[in-house]
Amino acid sequence: MQLSARPHQNATVLAASGRIDQNSSDDFLAALQGHLEGSDVAAVPLVLDFSGVDYISSVGLRALMMISRQVKAKQGKIGIAALQPLVREVFGIARFELVIPCLDSVDGAIAELSA
């Protein structure tokens, strides 16, 4: 699992790639928390680009839930964009789109969260 920041005018975009599972979820959570510490999520929404994520397990969903709570506690907005079909299926089964908005594209997520 890798996480890289891509600056954008209206959002902080973090692109994740690889698998988010038991072996990588702690590193994923730590990387997300590191980015949260250095950004003002109340002013600029956080968009997670999942186009490169090919698998996520329940511990990965737990990490996302924890980050979502931290963002919301800071009066910020978070969204996930560009889910691969298998990951979208996991999100659907877990009804995770009720926790974090899941949008088709990064640009669409930025537009919706910035409104």
Side-chain angles (χ1 to χ4, degrees):
M1 190 290 307
Q2 293 191 357
L3 189 68
S4 59
R6 289 191 316 213
H8 192 278
Q9 183 177 353
N10 299 323
T12 298
V13 178
L14 300 178
S17 62
R19 296 172 58 92
I20 304 172
D21 56 19
Q22 184 69 35
N23 296 326
S24 62
S25 66
D26 289 340
D27 292 338
F28 177 64
L29 178 59
L32 287 172
Q33 288 173 329
H35 283 285
L36 277 183
E37 290 173 6
S39 65
D40 182 7
V41 293
V44 179
L46 176 63
V47 175
L48 302 176
D49 178 355
F50 266 40
S51 61
V53 175
D54 51 18
Y55 177 80
I56 189 165
S57 70
S58 60
V59 292
L61 293 178
R62 180 181 177 277
L64 288 172
M65 183 175 293
M66 292 173 66
I67 287 300
S68 173
R69 287 181 181 163
Q70 291 174 15
V71 169
K72 290 175 183 176
K74 294 181 176 187
Q75 308 302 314
K77 294 181 181 179
I78 184 172
I80 299 175
L83 297 171
Q84 297 283 342
L86 178 63
V87 176
R88 182 173 292 285
E89 184 177 341
V90 170
F91 273 59
I93 291 168
R95 299 183 53 122
F96 207 76
E97 67 277 354
L98 299 174
V99 177
I100 300 176
C102 298
L103 300 125
D104 291 335
S105 69
V106 171
D107 290 337
I110 291 169
E112 183 165 322
L113 295 173
S114 296

